[in-house]
């Protein structure tokens, strides 16, 4: 009889253990049990938040949870979302590490600076290139100045000038992705090896189609990487096979530019400033120095120094992908907002015409000069327009997760154990009503002086909550470059043209990590602004 009872007792104990481990402990005894749950199932399962992400509703769903429950909410058994300045300071300025979620940003099978899980290898890579992305270097770079002149006056402005002859308008999302790609690849590889997407529309369309289409299939590889890999080994593909082919083609395109730039830099000195491969040269020099001075003792020995060619190429594809997409999205929404307000366009143009020289463009004219980068950066209305666009239409509004350290930490008053995924999203931070009254309104006055009804204290508070480039040691390394190239493009366009909406269907922003218009287009009509008019 006892022998017959043993299986029943074992099953009972197994059931009790399961109830304790998966229900009682996470709901009542876990250190996370005191944190409000975004969904009733959050303490027990990841299925709810995974479903929200799969359906591309994370940003607004999590934001609604914060509005109802406060600055810290529980999304899953071991996942939190935070939405306060104190929490940001703890997590992002406190050195919390990244995790497996970022491995999708590896290229060629090796990590780049952005996808590196840990801060030490990240810092070692960052030291190689952070200087050339500093504000002072970006604004004083002769190479960037010459590259900017060529891109604006030989490519962008002539293309826009020819578009003013008809009422049909042009897709500015495509044009803005093109101009930002041309900018960033020139700064990476030098002008001779950069893209020319502005003038080569066929290549641009093919490249952007590849990039955009494979972006729609990131969920399984990012949120369930081991699950996806296991079933892929069994011949079950949750991610279409053509996604791998698209990624391979994009990697080949970048690797070819990397190889040509390497060969050029190792054989001769750069004579034309436009051909200066500013970023790649700094990275190549940094990798060489790390290899010579530290070798096997380097924190990069098993990654960057073991696969130097692929590691440098991985870094380049990350910079050009992130650099063209985020700036292109920002320019699109900025132009969309301006196209709804002719009076604001006139005010902006009046401010731009105070520059000396101006960005005035005349087709066929041989000589055009760029104004001082510092003078451009000091224009208050231009800066306010850009800041408000980055706030309301952040190109990366989604969650940026980190992992809590061992053995535990305190976040916004809660004691959190190690190994918990915790993150913030610009989407929610930028809609804080205390920092941004009427947060859904695009209001450039927020970033101007007290004459617009905002005090200096209010402006400081807004700047504390502004998070378009993240924060801490792992914030966007290219933020100064992004701000500079966007201001150059906006100044060049609105000095010479006015814009009007032709078709903005689908302009509402996607929901996810990096987010552009749902319709993947914006059609604007350009009209030549008369010289001296405002």
């Amino acid at each position: 009889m006892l022998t017959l009872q043993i299986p029943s007792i074992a099953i009972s104990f197994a059931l009790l253990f399961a109830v304790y481990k998966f229900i009682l402990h996470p709901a009542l005894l876990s250190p996370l049990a005191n944190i409000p749950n975004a969904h009733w199932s959050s303490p027990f399962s990841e299925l709810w938040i995974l479903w929200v992400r799969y359906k591309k509703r994370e940003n607004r769903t999590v934001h609604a949870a914060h509005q109802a429950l406060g600055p810290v909410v529980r999304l899953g058994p071991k996942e939190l979302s935070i939405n306060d300045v104190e929490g940001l300071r703890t997590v992002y300025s406190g050195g919390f590490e990244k995790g497996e979620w970022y491995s999708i940003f590896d290229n060629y099978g090796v990590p780049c600076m952005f996808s590196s899980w840990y801060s030490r290898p990240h810092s070692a890579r960052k030291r190689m290139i952070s200087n050339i992305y500093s504000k002072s270097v970006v604004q004083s770079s002769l190479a960037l100045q010459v590259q900017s002149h060529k891109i604006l006056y030989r490519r962008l402005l002539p293309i826009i000038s020819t578009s003013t002859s008809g009422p049909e308008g042009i897709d500015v999302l495509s044009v803005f992705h093109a101009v930002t790609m041309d900018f960033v690849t020139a700064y990476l590889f030098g002008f001779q090896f950069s893209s020319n997407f502005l003038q080569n529309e066929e290549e641009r369309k093919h490249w952007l189609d590849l990039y955009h289409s494979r972006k729609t299939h990131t969920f399984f590889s990012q949120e369930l990487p081991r699950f996806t890999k296991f079933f892929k080994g069994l011949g079950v593909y949750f991610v279409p096979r053509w996604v791998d082919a698209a990624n391979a083609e994009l990697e080949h395109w970048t690797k070819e530019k990397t190889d040509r730039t390497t060969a050029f830099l190792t054989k001769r000195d750069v004579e034309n400033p436009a051909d200066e491969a500013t970023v790649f040269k700094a990275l190549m020099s940094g990798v060489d120095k790390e290899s010579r001075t530290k070798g096997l003792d380097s924190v990069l020995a098993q990654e960057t120094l073991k696969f130097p060619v692929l590691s440098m190429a991985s870094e380049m594809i990350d910079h050009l992908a992130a650099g063209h997409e985020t700036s292109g999205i920002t320019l699109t929404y900025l132009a969309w907002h301006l196209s709804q307000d002719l009076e604001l366009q006139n005010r902006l143009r009046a401010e731009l015409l105070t520059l000396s020289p101006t960005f005035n463009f005349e087709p066929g004219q041989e000589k055009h000069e760029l104004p001082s980068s510092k003078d451009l950066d000091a224009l208050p209305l231009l800066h306010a327009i850009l800041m408000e666009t980055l706030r309301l239409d952040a190109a990366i509004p989604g969650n940026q997760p980190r992992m809590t350290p061992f053995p535990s930490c305190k976040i916004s008053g809660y004691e959190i154990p190690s190994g918990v995924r915790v993150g913030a999203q610009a989407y929610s931070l930028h809609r804080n009503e205390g920092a941004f009254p009427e947060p859904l309104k695009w209001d450039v006055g927020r970033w101007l002086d007290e004459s617009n009804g905002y005090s200096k204290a209010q402006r400081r508070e807004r700047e504390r909550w502004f998070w378009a480039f993240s924060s801490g040691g792992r914030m966007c390394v290219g933020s100064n470059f992004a701000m500079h190239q966007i201001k150059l493009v906006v100044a060049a366009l609105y000095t010479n043209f006015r814009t009007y909406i032709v078709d903005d269907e689908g302009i509402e922003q996607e929901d996810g990590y990096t987010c552009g218009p749902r319709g993947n287009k914006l059609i604007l009509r350009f009209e030549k602004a008369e010289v001296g008019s405002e």
Side-chain angles (χ1 to χ4, degrees):
M1 181 67 71
L2 181 61
T3 303
L4 294 176
Q5 290 178 342
I6 289 176
S8 298
I9 294 172
I11 292 172
S12 297
F13 271 110
L15 288 174
L16 288 173
F17 178 77
V19 169
Y20 169 79
K21 181 174 179 62
F22 297 108
I23 298 178
L24 293 179
H25 184 270
L28 302 175
L29 303 175
S30 166
L32 307 183
N34 294 326
I35 297 174
N37 298 311
H39 188 262
W40 65 265
S41 66
S42 295
F44 318 118
S45 171
E46 298 177 351
L47 288 178
W48 172 75
I49 189 59
L50 287 174
W51 178 251
V52 168
R53 287 174 178 141
Y54 178 73
K55 298 298 289 185
K56 302 186 187 305
R57 298 196 301 256
E58 179 179 6
N59 297 344
R60 59 182 184 270
T61 300
V62 172
H63 180 58
H66 280 299
Q67 287 183 306
L69 302 171
V72 184
V73 295
R74 191 177 185 183
L75 305 180
K78 299 188 73 175
E79 182 175 359
L80 307 176
S81 176
I82 59 173
N83 188 39
D84 66 341
V85 173
E86 179 187 347
L88 286 183
R89 188 181 301 113
T90 300
V91 174
Y92 295 92
S93 297
F96 284 30
E97 306 287 17
K98 290 186 174 181
E100 190 174 24
W101 188 87
Y102 288 90
S103 292
I104 196 173
F105 297 102
D106 290 352
N107 308 293
Y108 311 97
V110 296
C112 57
M113 182 178 69
F114 179 75
S115 66
S116 176
W117 290 19
Y118 304 112
S119 56
R120 289 187 64 214
H122 169 269
S123 296
R125 289 190 184 94
K126 185 177 179 180
R127 283 194 296 271
M128 299 176 186
I129 58 174
S130 59
N131 180 61
I132 50 90
Y133 277 121
S134 67
K135 188 172 184 177
S136 60
V137 171
V138 166
Q139 290 188 350
S140 63
S141 169
L142 176 60
L144 183 55
Q145 183 180 4
V146 178
Q147 292 161 1
S148 300
H149 188 279
K150 290 177 179 290
I151 291 169
L152 294 175
Y153 286 110
R154 295 187 184 178
R155 297 179 184 176
L156 177 64
L157 292 174
I159 288 172
I160 300 301
S161 291
T162 60
S163 77
T164 60
S165 58
E168 62 275 6
I170 60 174
D171 179 9
V172 295
L173 177 63
S174 177
V175 170
F176 289 152
H177 279 327
V179 70
T180 53
M181 178 64 91
D182 289 357
F183 262 108
V184 71
T185 53
Y187 201 54
L188 295 179
F189 302 114
F191 197 75
Q192 64 176 331
F193 300 127
S194 68
S195 64
N196 187 358
F197 280 4
L198 278 169
Q199 294 178 322
N200 193 333
E201 191 172 353
E202 184 178 346
E203 182 186 14
R204 176 215 311 177
K205 186 177 186 306
H206 177 68
W207 200 99
L208 293 178
D209 283 349
L210 282 177
Y211 186 83
H212 182 265
S213 60
R214 66 100 170 105
K215 249 192 68 183
T216 61
H217 294 279
T218 59
F219 170 79
F220 285 101
S221 298
Q222 190 158 44
E223 298 294 343
L224 299 166
R226 299 176 190 180
F227 172 88
T228 304
K229 185 176 181 181
F230 173 79
F231 277 96
K232 185 177 181 179
L234 299 177
V236 179
Y237 292 86
F238 290 98
V239 179
R241 297 188 187 188
W242 59 260
V243 171
D244 289 337
N247 283 327
E249 185 172 342
L250 296 174
E251 288 183 346
H252 175 77
W253 187 87
T254 308
K255 177 68 162 47
E256 184 179 36
K257 292 188 179 299
T258 299
D259 291 343
R260 293 176 69 190
T261 306
T262 302
F264 177 78
L265 292 176
T266 53
K267 289 181 180 179
R268 70 198 76 179
D269 295 328
V270 178
E271 297 178 359
N272 187 339
D275 293 332
E276 185 71 55
T278 304
V279 179
F280 190 80
K281 186 176 181 179
L283 181 62
M284 189 166 68
S285 175
V287 170
D288 178 65
K289 180 179 178 181
E290 187 80 8
S291 180
R292 285 186 292 100
T293 59
K294 296 184 180 179
L296 294 177
D297 293 329
S298 170
V299 70
L300 301 177
Q302 298 305 310
E303 294 176 354
T304 305
L305 302 188
K306 189 174 183 179
F307 309 103
V309 175
L310 292 182
S311 292
M312 289 189 288
S314 180
E315 197 66 42
M316 292 300 99
I317 197 171
D318 177 68
H319 289 223
L320 68 86
H324 95 272
E325 185 179 24
T326 55
S327 294
I329 290 170
T330 302
L331 280 164
T332 300
Y333 280 107
L334 188 153
W336 179 66
H337 286 295
L338 279 177
S339 298
Q340 300 172 68
D341 192 336
L342 186 58
E343 190 276 331
L344 183 58
Q345 287 190 51
N346 291 337
R347 286 172 54 199
L348 174 60
R349 185 162 189 267
E351 181 180 79
L352 293 171
L353 290 174
T354 65
L355 294 170
S356 181
T358 69
F359 282 90
N360 185 57
F361 170 74
E362 292 297 336
Q365 182 176 322
E366 288 296 322
K367 188 175 181 181
H368 295 94
E369 293 185 42
L370 289 176
S372 159
S373 297
K374 292 183 179 179
D375 290 345
L376 176 67
D377 188 52
L379 296 179
L381 182 58
L382 174 61
H383 186 71
I385 289 170
L386 176 51
M387 291 292 285
E388 183 64 354
T389 303
L390 288 168
R391 181 195 71 82
L392 187 58
D393 307 291
I396 302 181
N399 188 277
Q400 301 191 39
R402 299 290 189 268
M403 303 303 296
T404 55
F406 179 83
S408 65
C409 62
K410 183 166 286 189
I411 302 175
S412 301
Y414 294 100
E415 192 71 26
I416 311 298
S418 64
V420 174
R421 174 172 159 174
V422 55
Q425 57 180 34
Y427 184 92
S428 293
L429 294 163
H430 290 176
R431 284 161 177 76
N432 179 285
E433 293 188 2
F436 307 104
E438 297 184 86
L440 300 183
K441 179 182 178 182
W442 190 75
D443 178 10
V444 300
R446 302 180 197 278
W447 308 96
L448 296 171
D449 58 27
E450 293 77 16
S451 64
N452 292 278
Y454 296 103
S455 68
K456 289 183 179 179
Q458 287 176 308
R459 183 172 179 179
R460 284 195 297 269
E461 185 67 7
R462 285 189 293 274
E463 289 170 347
R464 292 174 68 224
W465 285 81
F466 181 75
W467 212 59
F469 299 108
S470 187
S471 58
R474 301 198 69 162
M475 71 177 292
C476 175
V477 72
S479 59
N480 295 309
F481 182 85
M483 295 286 284
H484 181 66
Q485 70 166 339
I486 291 171
K487 287 183 177 183
L488 280 171
V489 173
V490 173
L493 290 179
Y494 284 95
T495 294
N496 295 282
F497 305 98
R498 293 188 176 90
T499 58
Y500 302 86
I501 295 173
V502 174
D503 181 4
D504 64 351
E505 183 180 0
I507 192 62
E508 62 275 7
Q509 200 167 16
E510 297 170 308
D511 192 314
Y513 182 69
T514 304
C515 302
R518 290 187 184 277
N520 198 36
K521 65 173 176 57
L522 171 64
I523 310 300
L524 298 183
R525 178 173 63 84
F526 288 80
E527 178 185 279
K528 178 66 176 174
E530 296 300 324
V531 177
S533 67
E534 296 180 7

